[in-house]
Amino acid sequence: GYIFSFNFFFLRIREPPRSTQSRSSAASDVYKRQSLNRKKRVLLVDDNDFNQATILVLIKSLGLEADVAYNGKEGLDLIIKNMSRESKGEAAGNPYDFVLMDCDMPVMDGFEATRVIRRYTTKGVIFPVLISACTAFSQEKDIMACFECGMDDVISKPVSKDKLERLFKKWKVL
């Protein structure tokens, strides 16, 4: 038998719009006070059991806590539960530092979930949170759709520990 191996390299095609970058820096500043005495938390939103199990192990191997949602609606519900503003100016639950959002899911896809999260953030209902697409989509139009709906970054599947580590370090989650 023959053994074949392939290496794929993906480059970011364009930089995200300026408004995304300013929103992201605001999101990273929000939790400075709250995050001092707690482990960083990631919300993984993906409908595929294999992807969930694999990515969850990688997240935890980096020393982060993680919750899982099976679709955008469940992810949105968890964010509202844990990120709602209370009268003291702190999050109601255990806030997330980062969201890894699949794009193609049943019930509510990652694009719509991100739009709703950004709308709630703008209205002051929830604290800002960093969101990265975690997707197999790799065409320029798909990547731009991620930024246009309000995502801060894009990580391509299959996900590796190195990719996650670079992503989390870039956004100061690690």
Side-chain angles (χ1 to χ4, degrees):
Y2 295 95
I3 298 175
F4 295 95
S5 70
F6 299 90
N7 289 322
F8 292 95
F9 299 95
F10 296 95
L11 299 174
R12 176 176 287 159
I13 297 167
R14 290 189 223 164
E15 285 298 311
R18 284 277 185 226
S19 61
T20 301
Q21 291 175 340
S22 61
R23 178 183 60 246
S24 302
S25 61
S28 64
D29 292 340
V30 168
Y31 301 108
K32 282 184 181 173
R33 185 184 58 206
Q34 282 185 286
S35 65
L36 292 176
N37 296 321
R38 69 172 176 81
K39 223 175 185 183
K40 301 281 182 152
R41 295 184 69 220
V42 175
L43 175 61
L44 171 61
V45 186
D46 197 309
D47 63 319
N48 182 289
D49 291 332
F50 177 79
N51 289 340
Q52 284 181 2
T54 304
I55 297 169
L56 207 54
V57 166
L58 297 174
I59 291 169
K60 291 183 177 187
S61 75
L62 293 169
L64 303 168
E65 291 183 356
D67 290 337
V68 177
Y70 287 89
N71 59 59
K73 174 72 170 103
E74 286 184 16
L76 178 61
D77 290 344
L78 282 171
I79 287 171
I80 291 169
K81 176 184 171 190
N82 288 290
M83 305 284 290
S84 294
R85 292 180 181 265
E86 287 190 334
S87 59
K88 296 177 186 176
E90 295 187 3
N94 292 322
Y96 296 107
D97 299 285
F98 205 91
V99 177
L100 285 173
M101 181 80 73
D102 186 19
C103 293
D104 187 24
M105 296 177 288
V107 183
M108 180 186 282
D109 66 29
F111 301 112
E112 182 60 23
T114 300
R115 282 187 208 96
V116 174
I117 292 165
R118 296 305 183 213
R119 202 165 34 245
Y120 284 179
T121 302
T122 301
K123 291 180 179 180
V125 175
I126 61 172
F127 282 102
V129 65
L130 295 163
I131 302 173
S132 175
C134 183
T135 182
F137 296 158
S138 61
Q139 293 184 359
E140 180 179 2
K141 68 179 179 69
D142 299 321
I143 293 170
M144 290 312 298
C146 294
F147 291 124
E148 288 167 4
C149 76
M151 294 182 187
D152 299 296
D153 214 328
V154 177
I155 186 172
S156 61
K157 292 178 183 173
V159 175
S160 68
K161 186 175 180 178
D162 286 342
K163 282 184 188 178
L164 277 179
E165 188 171 19
R166 281 193 305 270
L167 179 72
F168 292 149
K169 283 183 177 179
K170 173 182 177 180
W171 295 105
K172 297 179 176 62
V173 177
L174 281 180

